C-alpha cells in the first residue's frame, strides 16, 4: 500500500507556496549571484542560464506534488495561487539579498555595467549606437540612473508577474496527467 505524507494534507495554497518559496528563493539567489559574477567568470553566465531554465520544472514539481498529495482534488485556482505565492516569496527573498548586495556590498555595480554598455555602443558600428551612448552618459551625468532599491523592486514585480503566468501553465500541466487510480482510494 502506498503511504502519502499526512502533514501536507489540507494545507492552504498560501502555506504551500510560502514553504516552496523558501527553496525557490535560494534558487533565485544562486541565479542572481551567478549572473553578477559572470562578468568576472564568464562560465557562471551559462550556470545562471541553466538555473533560469530549471524554474518551470521546479514550479511544476511543487504543483504536481500538491496535486498528488491531495489525491487529485486540488482545484486549478489553488495550484495557481500556490505558484504565485511561491514566486512572491522567492522573489522577496532574492530581492532582499540583491538589495543588500547592490546597496552595501557592491554599490558601484549598476554604474559599472552602465559604463560598459556605453563603451559597447560607442564602439558599435550601428548607426544609433553613438547616439544611445550619449543618452546613457547623460543619464549618469544628470544622476538619473535608478538606484538599487528601485531596480530590485522592479525585479520583484517582474518576477511575480511573469511567475503568475508561468504558474497557470504549470498548474494546468500538473493537473493534466491525472494521478494513479490507487491513490484515489485513500
Amino acid at each position: 500500500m502506498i503511504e502519502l505524507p499526512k502533514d501536507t494534507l489540507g494545507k492552504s495554497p498560501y502555506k504551500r507556496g510560502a514553504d516552496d518559496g523558501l527553496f525557490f528563493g535560494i534558487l533565485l539567489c544562486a541565479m542572481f549571484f551567478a549572473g553578477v559574477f559572470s562578468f568576472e567568470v564568464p562560465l557562471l553566465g551559462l550556470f545562471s542560464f541553466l538555473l533560469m531554465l530549471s524554474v518551470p520544472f521546479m514550479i511544476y514539481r511543487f504543483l504536481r506534488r500538491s496535486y498528488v498529495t491531495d489525491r487529485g482534488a486540488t482545484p486549478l485556482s489553488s495550484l495557481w495561487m500556490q505558484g504565485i505565492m511561491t514566486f512572491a516569496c522567492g522573489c522577496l527573498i532574492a530581492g532582499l539579498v540583491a538589495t543588500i548586495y547592490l546597496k552595501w556590498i557592491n554599490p558601484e555595480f549598476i554604474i559599472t555595467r552602465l559604463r560598459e554598455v556605453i563603451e559597447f555602443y560607442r564602439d558599435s558600428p550601428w548607426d544609433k549606437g553613438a547616439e544611445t551612448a550619449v543618452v546613457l552618459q547623460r543619464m549618469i551625468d544628470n544622476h538619473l540612473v535608478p538606484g538599487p532599491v528601485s531596480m530590485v523592486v522592479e525585479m520583484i514585480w517582474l518576477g511575480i508577474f511573469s511567475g503568475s503566468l508561468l504558474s497557470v501553465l504549470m498548474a494546468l500541466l500538473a493537473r493534466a496527467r491525472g494521478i494513479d487510480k490507487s491513490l484515489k482510494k485513500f
Side-chain angles (χ1 to χ4, degrees), residues 78-92:
S78 290
L79 290 174
W80 187 12
M81 183 52 65
Q82 177 184 342
I84 292 170
M85 284 302 298
T86 301
F87 271 94
C89 294
C91 287
L92 286 174

Side-chain angles (χ1 to χ4, degrees), residues 83-130:
I84 292 170
M85 284 302 298
T86 301
F87 271 94
C89 294
C91 287
L92 286 174
I93 291 168
L96 176 64
V97 169
T99 300
I100 291 169
Y101 180 80
L102 294 173
K103 192 166 176 121
W104 292 291
I105 296 174
N106 189 359
E108 293 297 314
F109 180 80
I110 296 170
I111 292 291
T112 303
R113 299 291 84 81
L114 195 52
R115 287 189 177 123
E116 290 172 1
V117 170
I118 290 169
E119 286 303 314
F120 172 78
Y121 278 123
R122 279 189 187 141
D123 298 339
S124 171
W126 181 48
D127 296 337
K128 299 284 184 178

Side-chain angles (χ1 to χ4, degrees), residues 65-179:
R65 182 192 62 213
S66 295
Y67 186 68
V68 170
T69 299
D70 290 344
R71 300 178 185 107
T74 313
L76 176 67
S77 60
S78 290
L79 290 174
W80 187 12
M81 183 52 65
Q82 177 184 342
I84 292 170
M85 284 302 298
T86 301
F87 271 94
C89 294
C91 287
L92 286 174
I93 291 168
L96 176 64
V97 169
T99 300
I100 291 169
Y101 180 80
L102 294 173
K103 192 166 176 121
W104 292 291
I105 296 174
N106 189 359
E108 293 297 314
F109 180 80
I110 296 170
I111 292 291
T112 303
R113 299 291 84 81
L114 195 52
R115 287 189 177 123
E116 290 172 1
V117 170
I118 290 169
E119 286 303 314
F120 172 78
Y121 278 123
R122 279 189 187 141
D123 298 339
S124 171
W126 181 48
D127 296 337
K128 299 284 184 178
E131 183 181 324
T132 303
V134 169
V135 170
L136 293 173
Q137 186 60 52
R138 279 192 207 137
M139 282 178 59
I140 292 174
D141 296 341
N142 294 326
H143 305 288
L144 297 174
V145 178
V149 173
S150 61
M151 294 277 291
V152 169
V153 168
E154 292 299 322
M155 257 177 26
I156 291 170
W157 281 117
L158 176 64
I160 294 171
F161 175 73
S162 61
S164 69
L165 297 177
L166 181 64
S167 293
V168 73
L169 293 174
M170 294 302 109
L172 286 167
L173 286 175
R175 289 176 50 89
R177 257 184 50 203
I179 61 167

